Amino acid sequence: MKRGAPAATSAISLADVMPVSAQDRTLIELSGIGKRFRVDAVETIALANIDLAVGRGELVSITGPSGSGKSTLLAILGLIETPSHGEYRIDGLDTTTLAPTAIAALRNKNIGFVFQAFNLIADLSVELNVELPLIYGGVPAARRKQRVAEVLELVKLSHLARQMPGRLSGGQQQRVAVARAVADDPPILLADEPTGNLDSRHGDDVIELLCGLHGKGTTVCLVTHNPTYAKIATRIVHMEDGRA
């Protein structure tokens, strides 16, 4: 992919790249996005010419069979993968013109992730797992402690702040993962099968939490196989053979 001149390495906030008067604009916009993977002589098309716009404050469910490209699409939305072709804009900012350091800064400040496997660090307490993105973001210690307390209260786990992840249930671990994802108050939250390893009761708790965050203005993109959970979205995007 062709990139322009390297951008500044300091953290990029969406507020820095979008005028206040334009806050009702499209937040996420994909145009002609494709992704190919090559292993030896075999090329696999994971995404084929995806056009997708997500408005500020939407909750979008992404559905489809296994292998349809859902997780690849989410990885591109999260700036983890780069597309083979096409344009990806966040608040009008063309991410394909950014240097890798600027992409990392944009991702770390503005995008939170929740994964199916929780991805908590086993030898760190609940509160330290939640604090990690704030440490990486250079947030002062006093503010970090305050924010950790706020988000643990949000997910109703304040009483388990000093527990280790291995002593928690699957549902509790996923709520810790949600707290970590929103600790730095990102405007975009991406959730990849966040209920996939949970029973229905704990899955319902996590979806209720995501809905609550959406209700407070967070833009949420949810990958799910569960048709009931998909229906809570403001819009459903169905994937099939790398196409939406």
Side-chain angles (χ1 to χ4, degrees):
M1 177 183 299
K2 182 178 178 181
R3 299 192 182 279
T9 59
S10 59
I12 299 174
S13 170
L14 297 185
D16 296 331
V17 299
M18 187 189 73
V20 173
S21 62
Q23 288 185 356
D24 59 345
R25 280 175 22 185
T26 296
L27 180 59
I28 292 170
E29 185 174 13
L30 305 179
S31 300
I33 289 291
K35 182 65 178 179
R36 293 182 173 87
F37 295 101
R38 179 178 291 276
V39 178
D40 297 327
V42 179
E43 182 177 79
T44 300
I45 299 176
L47 297 177
N49 296 319
I50 299 290
D51 294 321
L52 176 66
V54 179
R56 183 180 300 277
E58 269 201 277
L59 196 170
V60 175
S61 290
I62 302 171
T63 67
S66 297
S68 60
K70 302 185 302 298
S71 293
T72 301
L73 175 61
L74 210 70
I76 287 176
L77 290 175
L79 299 173
I80 295 174
E81 291 279 358
T82 56
S84 301
H85 60 80
E87 293 186 352
Y88 175 24
R89 297 180 181 272
I90 300 179
D91 271 329
L93 177 68
D94 185 357
T95 63
T96 65
T97 66
L98 300 178
T101 50
I103 289 175
L106 183 67
R107 178 178 61 243
N108 293 343
K109 185 65 178 176
N110 297 289
I111 303 174
F113 296 88
V114 181
F115 301 99
Q116 179 175 339
F118 315 143
N119 290 352
L120 301 178
I121 299 177
D123 56 356
L124 294 182
S125 67
V126 164
E127 60 186 356
L128 286 177
N129 267 279
V130 174
E131 189 178 1
L132 272 181
L134 303 176
I135 294 173
Y136 294 147
V139 177
R143 174 55 184 156
R144 292 202 307 265
K145 298 299 183 184
Q146 177 186 8
R147 183 58 181 162
V148 168
E150 290 172 353
V151 294
L152 286 179
E153 177 67 24
L154 176 70
V155 300
K156 301 178 182 178
L157 290 177
S158 299
H159 61 296
L160 297 176
R162 298 192 177 182
Q163 285 283 8
M164 305 304 284
R167 297 181 65 87
L168 306 182
S169 70
Q172 289 170 332
Q173 289 187 59
Q174 193 61 293
R175 283 153 60 194
V176 174
V178 172
R180 180 185 57 190
V182 301
D184 208 18
D185 199 22
I188 300 169
L189 182 61
L190 306 178
D192 192 359
E193 294 284 0
T195 64
N197 288 337
L198 305 179
D199 60 33
S200 59
R201 180 172 67 85
H202 288 117
D204 290 350
D205 289 343
V206 169
I207 292 299
E208 181 179 356
L209 184 55
L210 296 180
C211 288
L213 292 166
H214 165 245
K216 294 179 179 179
T218 302
T219 300
V220 180
C221 294
L222 167 68
V223 167
T224 182
H225 279 104
N226 187 309
T228 300
Y229 295 154
K231 290 177 183 177
I232 58 94
T234 54
R235 181 158 54 102
I236 298 175
V237 174
H238 184 73
M239 300 286 297
E240 191 83 35
D241 297 328
R243 299 180 182 274

